[in-house]
Amino acid sequence: MIDYAHLNPAQRRAVFHIDGPVLVLAGAGSGKTRVITYRIAYLIEQGVSPSEILALSFTNKAANEMRERVLDLVGPLATSATLSTFHALGLRFLKEEYASVGLSKKFTILDEGDQLAAIRDLMKDAGYDVDQYDPRTIQGLISHYKSRLERPDPKRGGFDGVAAHISPLYGRRLRAMNAVDFDDLIAMPVWVLEKDKEIGYRWSGRYRHIMVDEYQDTNLSQLRLLKALAKRYNHVCAVGDDDQSIYGWRGAEAGNILRFDQHFAGADRIDLTQNYRSTNRILKAANRLILNNSERHDKSLWSDLGEGEALRYYEAPDGDQEASWVATDLSGCKRRDAVSWSDFAILYRTNAQSRLLEDAVRRLDIPYRIVGGTRFYDRKEVRDLLAYLRAISNPWDETALRRIINFPARGIGDQSIQKIANRAQEKGVPFFRLIQDPNKVPGLTEGVRSSVRAFNELLEHYRAQFSTSGSNLGMICRELTGKIDFRNVFTRTDRNPKRVAQRMDNLEEVSVALDSFRQREPDGKLEDYLTQLTLNPNRDEDEDEQENLVSLMTLHGSKGLEFKYVYMVGVEEGFMPHLQMPGRGSGADLPVDVSEERRLVYVGITRAQQLLTLTGARKRLRFGRTKARKPSRFLFEIPEELFQGDRSGTVPELSGDALQEKGRNAFAEMLDLVSRE
Ligand code: ATP
Ligand code: MG
């Protein structure tokens, strides 16, 4: 028997409302996700077959978590309910209905690199100048239109005209390859469901009850899919919060949630107003901030968790000190309240910001994980660049050499590399000796030999640069990054300019790390920097399976989650709102949507249960120069009286007796750190 006493009356109404469409449009932490979980359980308890239940979440992780909670509530019966993402559902559809779209059973899903290559080839075949019309832009346009289930208009000319011409050719090419792309996973099912009466009828009877979490972030094609699936029974329950719509840049339509009743006739609406997550101070901060957005559905949230601790704002002299302060304060907090590492989250706006924070928590031996992403030093581009640095600093590092000898591709294939390695073994000489003198390796073609020579010259050149005394490590690293032409490698394989910009940001962050290393140690050499990295290595892999870890993630990645203690870092203009640097990826020409940035900050604030700490830096190293930074405009939209002291950013304190002890511990920790180094 499920105990519905764990729900308030409004939540119960939403759970028991299983006839016809219903929308729960409510603020953060009001129990929307909980409603979906209980609703699935209730339906099963009412005798609905679990196989007729579909719940759609935003990420696989969210879907899995929901599955676990439902299993807790109703037991193994729940396993046959479908809990998935839109894309996974689309894939499931195509696996069954492949024939209806002309695919054969074992179709493949094209990755973005293949997709771009196909489009480039088609453009060349059709006689377009790919320098004039960047294939990536065309790829982006084709994807954009597909996700809106529209076709580019040939009459519009320019890029749209090219896309209109290439789009059907690309479709044909995919079909010839028995392949689909990511957008097809939604677009094709919609197309079939809307056109094919028999299939449409069959599928609209398959899921008698459909639930959607984070409804504010659905796009047009997802809405159409949903409508097609719900056509027969119209039992749809959507939950969401227009104030948390943060994927507009990816085509999500916040209008979907505000116009729910137009899409699902006869829809009821249920408001949830009690927030069960956060103290009132945190809630007030969020409420006041979001009031600055217009065109929103006005909601008021209250909490009976008391006023709670004051918010804190700390402004550090620079990014390094900001990160160190956060790490030290966090361990102090953990001791003060005797809580777990997993009660803490550090949130930032851009992926590249994680580097400073990861360095800082690692220095204090704080176990952490990166949620929804990869640890900075595990990111592929970072490892590639570090491999260059290692190979330059230490020619004996064969692993590094072999990682980069043909990256980017220089025509030195695996077989050639094997020949070099075998020869080195036979002769008992280090691998790099043969790189310096490829003539000594039998069986290499002249082409390969000259590529190896060029590769060696590149390394030698930078080896000399880095070892010149007083050289500017960060600048040389930047130059090297340009020389390797990572940007070209990324853009060839990735159609998403935002992601390319992110990866470039990560590379820049390595140079910034070298800059700040140099500031700390004016005589430090490249090898000293690399040694420090290995002295603070990534914690063992198996820690990812461990539960008790501090979570680091972007604001986007934090959606739906909650933590007792939240640190939101980089609360500065430039990060919040996030401004793309001019000339850095084509994202630069996208205007910033300040309202969406504000919603993102709103999402961040509302993750916090007990203590919210905001931090920023007065200056940061960017592109080898120190740049002054200003606090984020959003900071000033939060009433000052909610903060400890004021908002001036002086070192805030943890309240309580534990403070002194905290000071002592932090000091001891620093001593410990010094003695370990
Ligand atoms: P978000 O907008 O951030 O996704 P949400 O509206 O989905 O938030 P939930 O995550 O479902 O909110 O709930 C927030 C917290 O409040 C969770 O810890 C949940 O267990 C708790 N909660 C929700 N409803 C109740 C209730 N009636 N009684 C006690 N705790 C509740
Ligand atoms: Mg939720």
Side-chain angles (χ1 to χ4, degrees):
M1 208 32 210
I2 297 155
D3 187 358
Y4 298 99
H6 297 297
L7 300 170
N8 67 33
Q11 291 174 328
R12 274 201 293 273
R13 262 195 296 133
V15 166
F16 299 154
H17 187 304
I18 57 174
D19 215 19
V22 58
L23 172 68
V24 179
L25 175 55
S30 57
K32 297 182 297 296
T33 303
R34 178 182 275 224
V35 160
I36 294 203
T37 319
Y38 271 82
R39 208 165 174 279
I40 300 171
Y42 176 70
L43 286 165
I44 295 175
E45 204 184 46
Q46 291 298 299
V48 176
S49 158
S51 62
E52 289 189 311
I53 297 173
L54 168 66
L56 294 162
S57 296
F58 200 72
T59 59
N60 289 317
K61 182 168 173 280
N64 290 336
E65 274 174 17
M66 187 167 290
R67 180 171 300 116
E68 272 168 37
R69 286 199 211 151
V70 178
L71 282 171
D72 282 348
L73 283 173
V74 287
L77 203 59
T79 26
S80 47
T82 304
L83 283 75
S84 96
T85 62
F86 274 99
H87 283 98
L89 181 74
L91 179 60
R92 176 187 280 223
F93 177 93
L94 290 180
K95 290 243 182 238
E96 289 179 38
E97 310 291 349
Y98 52 89
S100 66
V101 287
L103 290 167
S104 66
K105 195 171 170 69
K106 290 206 174 130
F107 63 87
T108 48
I109 303 174
L110 220 60
D111 72 23
E112 289 168 348
D114 299 334
Q115 205 183 353
L116 182 59
I119 288 174
R120 179 181 285 114
D121 289 349
L122 289 166
M123 288 176 65
K124 282 187 182 155
D125 293 351
Y128 288 106
D129 175 359
V130 291
D131 288 326
Q132 188 188 353
Y133 294 105
D134 187 341
R136 273 170 297 135
T137 312
I138 302 303
Q139 184 184 25
L141 276 174
I142 292 177
S143 164
H144 167 81
Y145 283 106
K146 226 192 248 189
S147 76
R148 301 184 53 86
L149 304 167
E150 290 168 3
R151 282 180 209 285
D153 181 358
K155 290 197 288 297
R156 285 187 53 189
F159 280 88
D160 270 304
V162 182
H165 182 189
I166 297 298
S167 179
L169 301 174
Y170 170 65
R172 235 171 283 157
R173 167 71 61 96
L174 285 180
R175 223 166 307 144
M177 288 163 60
N178 193 32
V180 297
D181 66 19
F182 210 57
D183 302 308
D184 288 328
L185 294 178
I186 311 285
M188 283 185 167
V190 172
W191 188 74
V192 176
L193 288 166
E194 290 181 355
K195 294 276 176 323
D196 187 315
K197 286 225 166 61
E198 188 270 325
I199 296 179
Y201 186 76
R202 196 148 38 78
W203 277 80
S204 72
R206 175 179 276 206
Y207 301 112
R208 195 179 286 266
H209 291 276
I210 305 180
M211 278 146 279
V212 192
D213 199 2
E214 307 279 2
Y215 189 71
Q216 74 279 358
D217 283 321
T218 52
N219 66 23
L220 208 82
S221 55
Q222 290 166 334
L223 171 67
R224 294 259 290 268
L225 180 59
L226 188 61
K227 283 171 90 166
L229 292 173
K231 197 165 170 200
R232 190 158 1 145
Y233 295 110
N234 206 25
H235 297 324
V236 177
C237 168
V239 311
D241 177 4
D242 55 322
D243 288 332
Q244 295 185 65
S245 151
I246 53 177
Y247 282 96
W249 56 278
R250 231 167 55 181
E253 306 256 346
N256 285 352
I257 195 167
L258 298 173
R259 286 189 288 277
F260 185 77
D261 51 352
Q262 290 172 24
H263 299 296
F264 298 93
D268 285 324
R269 218 185 72 200
I270 294 174
D271 293 338
L272 308 176
T273 54
Q274 180 169 1
N275 169 298
Y276 290 90
R277 180 179 291 148
S278 315
T279 66
N280 273 302
R281 278 209 177 84
I282 294 169
L283 263 191
K284 272 183 212 155
N287 286 342
R288 285 291 291 275
L289 172 84
I290 206 67
L291 271 182
N292 294 284
N293 272 4
S294 50
E295 290 185 45
R296 53 183 288 271
H297 174 73
D298 198 23
K299 292 175 285 294
S300 58
L301 275 180
W302 62 279
S303 151
D304 72 358
L305 298 174
E307 280 305 292
E309 246 180 287
L311 275 62
R312 301 183 305 157
Y313 171 59
Y314 172 56
E315 208 173 273
D318 60 34
D320 269 322
Q321 295 182 60
E322 179 197 27
S324 307
W325 184 84
V326 167
T328 311
D329 188 79
L330 190 153
S331 17
C333 232
K334 176 174 183 289
R335 259 191 305 275
R336 177 191 72 163
D337 296 350
V339 288
S340 311
W341 293 120
S342 55
D343 289 319
F344 294 87
I346 306 177
L347 310 180
Y348 37 85
R349 177 64 183 85
T350 66
N351 263 308
Q353 285 173 267
S354 83
R355 197 273 304 169
L356 275 174
L357 295 154
E358 288 184 64
D359 283 354
V361 294
R362 280 162 38 159
R363 277 200 292 271
L364 295 191
D365 255 338
I366 297 174
Y368 76 97
R369 65 178 171 162
I370 300 280
V371 177
T374 318
R375 290 159 178 252
F376 183 79
Y377 293 105
D378 286 343
R379 292 177 197 160
K380 181 175 180 309
E381 61 275 14
V382 173
R383 294 176 72 118
D384 289 334
L385 179 55
L386 286 175
Y388 269 94
L389 296 179
R390 276 169 36 210
I392 287 166
S393 143
N394 171 18
W396 275 266
D397 190 334
E398 184 175 332
T399 323
L401 269 175
R402 289 177 72 159
R403 182 179 177 102
I404 55 170
I405 186 167
N406 200 36
F407 175 85
R410 321 185 151 81
I412 310 173
D414 285 345
Q415 287 192 356
S416 305
I417 298 173
Q418 206 52 55
K419 279 180 195 150
I420 304 172
N422 292 345
R423 187 66 176 178
Q425 276 255 304
E426 274 165 40
K427 293 280 161 189
V429 295
F431 189 82
F432 80 92
R433 287 279 180 236
L434 298 179
I435 302 286
Q436 289 172 334
D437 194 357
N439 286 344
K440 295 216 171 98
V441 184
L444 294 184
T445 65
E446 202 34 52
V448 170
R449 287 209 171 107
S450 88
S451 294
V452 171
R453 260 180 239 117
F455 172 64
N456 184 56
E457 272 161 29
L458 177 83
L459 297 186
E460 297 282 3
H461 173 76
Y462 284 97
R463 200 165 287 147
Q465 293 268 306
F466 275 114
S467 51
T468 310
S469 75
S471 58
N472 184 335
L473 302 183
M475 270 342 255
I476 301 172
C477 182
R478 261 175 215 106
E479 200 190 297
L480 172 69
T481 311
K483 185 82 185 173
I484 300 170
D485 205 359
F486 275 99
R487 181 183 289 282
N488 184 30
V489 177
F490 298 157
T491 50
R492 271 205 324 260
T493 52
D494 198 332
R495 68 174 166 159
N496 183 334
K498 287 225 183 220
R499 217 164 22 231
V500 171
Q502 256 182 29
R503 299 176 75 183
M504 292 305 294
D505 271 350
N506 284 334
L507 294 178
E508 164 61 18
E509 197 52 43
V510 175
S511 301
V512 172
L514 278 165
D515 287 334
S516 60
F517 164 72
R518 227 349 162 16
Q519 286 190 350
R520 283 197 306 274
E521 295 179 29
D523 299 324
K525 302 213 168 16
L526 177 62
E527 48 271 32
D528 303 328
Y529 167 73
L530 294 169
T531 315
Q532 284 195 2
L533 270 189
T534 28
L535 278 183
N536 276 327
N538 276 337
R539 313 185 131 260
D540 297 340
E541 296 292 320
D542 61 16
E543 273 199 354
D544 271 348
E545 282 150 38
Q546 199 181 306
E547 297 281 291
N548 193 12
L549 307 167
V550 172
S551 296
L552 272 65
M553 69 194 97
T554 61
L555 290 169
H556 280 101
S558 73
K559 201 167 78 154
L561 307 178
E562 58 190 17
F563 302 89
K564 285 201 179 91
Y565 307 85
V566 168
Y567 291 84
M568 203 190 304
V569 306
V571 183
E572 297 151 28
E573 287 291 297
F575 284 140
M576 303 175 195
H578 179 45
L579 305 172
Q580 298 258 349
M581 301 278 165
R584 315 202 61 229
S586 51
D589 44 42
L590 294 172
V592 208
D593 181 347
V594 174
S595 307
E596 181 149 316
E597 294 291 314
R598 188 178 281 111
R599 290 194 291 270
L600 204 46
V601 174
Y602 174 85
V603 168
I605 293 177
T606 53
R607 300 309 99 198
Q609 297 173 295
Q610 293 180 10
L611 180 58
L612 174 65
T613 306
L614 309 179
T615 66
R618 277 193 288 278
K619 52 184 174 18
R620 276 186 199 277
L621 280 166
R622 298 293 286 172
F623 306 105
R625 264 185 248 133
T626 307
K627 296 246 167 69
R629 308 280 285 182
K630 278 196 306 208
S632 163
R633 68 191 76 176
F634 301 134
L635 179 69
F636 302 104
E637 295 176 0
I638 303 172
E640 189 152 24
E641 71 264 18
L642 297 175
F643 284 89
Q644 187 188 96
D646 51 25
R647 240 177 351 206
S648 66
T650 45
V651 186
E653 298 184 330
L654 290 170
S655 51
D657 299 338
L659 250 186
Q660 271 198 329
E661 194 214 341
K662 183 216 151 195
R664 270 200 306 276
N665 282 330
F667 188 56
E669 226 153 38
M670 279 168 65
L671 281 182
D672 182 40
L673 197 73
V674 172
S675 62
R676 268 194 297 132
E677 283 178 1

